[in-house]
Amino acid sequence: MNHDPNCVFCKIVAGSIPSRKVYEDDELLAFHDIAPWAPVHFLIIPKQHIMSLADVRIEHQSMLGKMLWLAQDLAPKQGARNGFRTIINTGSDGGQEVGHLHLHVIGGPRPWAKG
Ligand code: 5GP
Ligand code: ZN
């Protein structure tokens, strides 16, 4: 599986950086964001290192669909019972800070710190 030893999220997948896990399977990992904007804020990532949404290929379509399916499955279980926001930041103009594809799932009762 594609792995970048210098990537923070690859280190989380490998377990060398700890995280608060929400979900894991062979392909995907979900964990709580270290700096949450809202009562619920977790990230869904592919375990393989894909830098951003600008780097996906057609072969990734089922994995990308599963990321969205998982967002709506996990959000209410994590406490987002009245809706949630999903965000994928892509590239520098898109505000992406970590270069490993991730889907933010943000929700819970307002007010939020951000967003
Ligand atoms: P981006 O701006 O790239 O879309 O979002 C990156 C997100 O990753 C930020 O919300 C940031 O708080 C989160 N993050 C960065 N480093 C870590 C980390 O080591 N652990 C966890 N759990 N989240 C992180
Ligand atoms: Zn990575």
Side-chain angles (χ1 to χ4, degrees), residues 8-9 12 17-19 31-35 37 41 43 89 95-98 102 104:
V8 176
F9 288 176
I12 286 178
I17 291 180
S19 69
F31 55 94
H32 292 281
D33 196 290
I34 204 166
W37 296 8
H41 187 172
L43 305 173
N89 296 321
Q96 185 177 4
E97 289 175 2
V98 176
H102 53 280
H104 294 258

